[in-house]
Amino acid sequence: MSEKGDKAAPEGGQQVEEELLYDYENLLERAWERIPQEVVASSERFEVPQVDVLYEGKSTILRNFVDIVQRINRMDHLEQIYKFLLKELGTAGVIDGRRLVMNSVIPEEKIGEKIKDYVETYVLCSECGRPDTRLEKEGRVLMLVCTACGARRPVRVKKGRTTQEEKGVIKVGDIMEVTVQSVGRQGDGMVRMGKYLMFIPGCGRGEKVKVKVESVKGNIIIARPVE
Ligand SMILES: [Zn+2]
């Protein structure tokens, strides 16, 4: 029997099939890896609802206020959004049915901008870009929890306008309250926060601790408990 004869045998055929299958899986995996994450997220990017504004004398009426709140899944925070908008726009106003009536003339673009700010800060998941999130208190820290991908991040209220890169970024010196989710091989407490993995030496699973960030290297954070 020659080598060539063996290849024609059933076992040989099966092997070729397995190789093909392996190649196919490999190909899929590589193709998936090559798609930048932004593209995956943007293919179903959430559009912030457009404002529908009407001016009546000296008042500005946001006609679709309640509709916008519904679209961003925040009916449980209607009051908070109402206060946020009035404060940010520096005006007084009342909710009238589904409308928000403000007692001064405010440019439509400015209202749209503030709603976009709210959505980016309090609604959109910074990992997958979806609005399927809820707000949760973790100690004194308000967390944005994504029901689509499971990511958690602390809500960072903007002081003025910030760039895309600054959002959801954790820096050395930041103080936050966290709940230790697991314990690593070295015995350090670990907390997963969006793209970050935080290590807290000397903390056990389930422990709620206030920590100060000591170092940030890529996605790895070392933090220590503080009083
Ligand atoms: Zn997500």
Side-chain angles (χ1 to χ4, degrees):
M1 278 256 179
S2 70
E3 299 265 316
K4 271 178 190 163
D6 282 347
K7 273 207 175 148
E11 293 92 332
Q14 200 183 334
Q15 197 187 334
V16 168
E17 226 169 79
E18 272 172 13
E19 269 171 21
L20 278 176
L21 189 66
Y22 171 77
D23 274 357
Y24 176 66
E25 279 175 352
N26 211 17
L27 202 72
L28 266 188
E29 216 169 83
R30 286 209 314 258
W32 184 250
E33 274 168 9
R34 254 183 246 151
I35 302 172
Q37 285 307 301
E38 290 82 9
V39 174
V40 176
S42 71
S43 66
E44 30 187 309
R45 188 169 288 279
F46 177 73
E47 293 286 336
V48 176
Q50 290 292 310
V51 293
D52 178 5
V53 175
L54 179 78
Y55 296 95
E56 251 175 34
K58 282 185 175 168
S59 42
T60 306
I61 300 165
L62 177 56
R63 290 202 289 189
N64 59 344
F65 174 63
V66 174
D67 298 300
I68 291 172
V69 176
Q70 264 173 344
R71 281 279 309 282
I72 61 173
N73 307 315
R74 283 295 179 276
M75 280 307 279
D76 53 341
H77 286 78
L78 190 72
E79 182 89 9
Q80 189 208 347
I81 299 170
Y82 158 73
K83 284 179 181 164
F84 172 90
L85 277 181
L86 294 187
K87 184 167 167 267
E88 291 287 316
L89 296 168
T91 183
V94 289
I95 298 174
D96 168 32
R98 305 187 71 79
R99 321 184 306 167
L100 175 63
V101 180
M102 292 166 278
N103 303 343
S104 49
V105 178
I106 298 160
E108 187 176 329
E109 308 82 63
K110 205 171 164 192
I111 302 170
E113 204 175 88
K114 293 302 172 192
I115 286 174
K116 192 161 167 275
D117 280 355
Y118 182 89
V119 169
E120 285 175 356
T121 307
Y122 294 98
V123 180
L124 291 186
C125 171
S126 50
E127 293 292 300
C128 70
R130 297 189 61 84
D132 310 305
T133 59
R134 61 170 195 275
L135 294 166
E136 225 174 65
K137 275 263 181 180
E138 201 171 287
R140 266 175 296 170
V141 181
L142 188 61
M143 302 289 290
L144 187 71
V145 181
C146 179
T147 53
C149 78
R152 297 171 72 88
R153 69 164 169 94
V155 169
R156 303 191 147 262
V157 178
K158 286 193 223 173
K159 301 227 163 48
R161 292 191 78 76
T162 50
T163 65
Q164 198 74 19
E165 286 76 33
E166 282 173 300
K167 268 184 288 152
V169 169
I170 295 177
K171 303 180 298 298
V172 172
D174 282 359
I175 291 177
M176 59 190 82
E177 216 165 80
V178 297
T179 304
V180 176
Q181 293 160 346
S182 54
V183 173
R185 255 185 267 169
Q186 312 288 326
D188 296 335
M190 297 197 300
V191 181
R192 180 99 216 165
M193 271 182 185
K195 62 176 182 172
Y196 294 107
L197 187 58
M198 177 186 282
F199 291 90
I200 312 155
C203 285
R205 191 193 162 98
E207 230 178 287
K208 262 194 178 165
V209 275
K210 189 172 172 187
V211 297
K212 186 173 180 181
V213 174
E214 290 215 320
S215 85
V216 181
K217 288 205 172 76
N219 295 343
I220 302 294
I221 296 174
I222 310 290
R224 289 194 189 273
V226 287
E227 278 314 301

